[in-house]
Protein backbone atom coordinates (compact mmCIF):
# COMPACT_ATOMS: atom_id res chain seq x y z
CA UNK A 1 0.00 0.00 0.00
CA UNK A 2 2.87 2.38 0.67
CA UNK A 3 4.11 1.89 -2.89
CA UNK A 4 0.74 2.99 -4.22
CA UNK A 5 0.81 6.10 -1.99
CA UNK A 6 4.29 6.93 -3.25
CA UNK A 7 2.99 6.66 -6.81
CA UNK A 8 0.80 9.71 -6.26
CA UNK A 9 3.91 11.86 -6.29
CA UNK A 10 6.28 12.07 -9.24
CA UNK A 11 9.57 10.98 -7.62
CA UNK A 12 8.65 12.77 -4.38
CA UNK A 13 7.51 15.85 -6.31
CA UNK A 14 4.08 17.37 -5.79
CA UNK A 15 1.88 17.80 -8.86
CA UNK A 16 0.29 21.28 -8.90
CA UNK A 17 -1.26 23.61 -11.47
CA UNK A 18 -0.03 27.17 -11.97
CA UNK A 19 -2.00 29.22 -14.49
CA UNK A 20 -3.62 25.97 -15.74
CA UNK A 21 -0.26 24.31 -16.49
CA UNK A 22 0.96 21.26 -14.61
CA UNK A 23 4.20 21.62 -12.66
CA UNK A 24 6.02 19.27 -10.33
CA UNK A 25 7.09 21.11 -7.19
CA UNK A 26 10.49 19.83 -6.01
CA UNK A 27 9.42 19.96 -2.35
CA UNK A 28 6.23 19.89 -0.30
CA UNK A 29 6.69 23.37 1.13
CA UNK A 30 7.62 26.39 -0.99
CA UNK A 31 7.48 30.18 -0.81
CA UNK A 32 5.33 32.31 -3.05
CA UNK A 33 8.49 33.52 -4.83
CA UNK A 34 9.57 29.91 -5.47
CA UNK A 35 6.13 29.06 -6.85
CA UNK A 36 6.23 32.11 -9.13
CA UNK A 37 9.65 31.06 -10.42
CA UNK A 38 8.40 27.51 -10.99
CA UNK A 39 5.43 28.82 -12.97
CA UNK A 40 7.45 31.39 -14.92
CA UNK A 41 5.52 34.28 -13.39
CA UNK A 42 7.34 37.57 -13.79
CA UNK A 43 7.49 40.61 -11.52
CA UNK A 44 4.36 42.71 -11.25
CA UNK A 45 2.06 39.73 -10.63
CA UNK A 46 0.41 38.41 -7.48
CA UNK A 47 -0.06 34.69 -6.88
CA UNK A 48 -3.31 33.23 -5.56
CA UNK A 49 -4.25 29.74 -4.39
CA UNK A 50 -7.69 28.57 -5.50
CA UNK A 51 -9.82 27.44 -2.58
CA UNK A 52 -12.62 24.88 -2.92
CA UNK A 53 -16.28 25.79 -2.87
CA UNK A 54 -17.28 29.34 -2.06
CA UNK A 55 -14.21 30.12 0.03
CA UNK A 56 -12.21 33.18 -1.03
CA UNK A 57 -9.00 32.40 -2.90
CA UNK A 58 -5.87 33.15 -0.89
CA UNK A 59 -3.15 35.57 -1.96
CA UNK A 60 0.32 34.07 -1.44
CA UNK A 61 3.03 36.60 -0.57
CA UNK A 62 6.52 36.15 -2.00
CA UNK A 63 8.03 35.29 1.40
CA UNK A 64 5.03 33.25 2.60
CA UNK A 65 5.64 29.51 2.93
CA UNK A 66 2.85 27.18 1.87
CA UNK A 67 2.50 23.42 2.24
CA UNK A 68 1.62 21.91 -1.12
CA UNK A 69 -0.69 19.01 -1.87
CA UNK A 70 -1.14 17.13 -5.13
CA UNK A 71 -3.78 18.90 -7.21
CA UNK A 72 -3.37 22.39 -5.68
CA UNK A 73 -4.29 25.14 -8.17
CA UNK A 74 -2.58 28.54 -8.32
CA UNK A 75 -3.04 31.49 -10.66
CA UNK A 76 -1.37 34.84 -11.27
CA UNK A 77 -3.00 38.26 -11.53
CA UNK A 78 -1.37 41.55 -12.54
CA UNK A 79 -0.73 43.70 -9.46
CA UNK A 80 -2.04 46.73 -11.33
CA UNK A 81 -5.49 45.12 -11.58
CA UNK A 82 -7.64 47.00 -9.09
CA UNK A 83 -11.29 46.95 -10.21
CA UNK A 84 -12.57 48.89 -7.20
CA UNK A 85 -10.09 51.76 -7.35
CA UNK A 86 -11.30 55.36 -7.03
CA UNK A 87 -9.85 56.19 -10.44
CA UNK A 88 -11.71 53.35 -12.19
CA UNK A 89 -13.93 54.55 -15.01
CA UNK A 90 -17.30 53.11 -15.95
Amino acid sequence: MKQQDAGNKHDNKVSILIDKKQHFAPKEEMTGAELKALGGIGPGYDLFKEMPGQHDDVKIGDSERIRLKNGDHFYSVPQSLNPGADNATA
Side-chain angles (χ1 to χ4, degrees), residues 46-49 57-61 64 79:
D46 288 325
L47 183 69
F48 286 83
K49 179 179 179 186
D57 293 347
V58 177
K59 182 178 174 183
I60 308 298
E64 186 176 346
Q79 291 174 344

Side-chain angles (χ1 to χ4, degrees), residues 4 9 17 20 22-23 27 38 40 42-43 47-49 56 62 65 70-71 81 84-85 90:
Q4 187 177 17
K9 294 182 183 173
L17 292 177
K20 299 182 181 179
Q22 184 179 30
H23 296 276
K27 50 191 175 180
L38 181 66
L47 183 69
F48 286 83
K49 179 179 179 186
D56 289 340
D62 286 347
R65 298 191 69 77
N70 279 320
L81 183 65

Side-chain angles (χ1 to χ4, degrees), residues 11 17 20-21 34 36 41 50 55-56 63-64 72-73 75 86:
D11 294 331
L17 292 177
K20 299 182 181 179
K21 295 179 185 168
E34 290 172 326
K36 284 180 172 181
I41 299 169
E50 288 186 22
H55 295 80
D56 289 340
S63 61
E64 186 176 346
D72 280 347
H73 290 231
Y75 62 92
D86 289 338

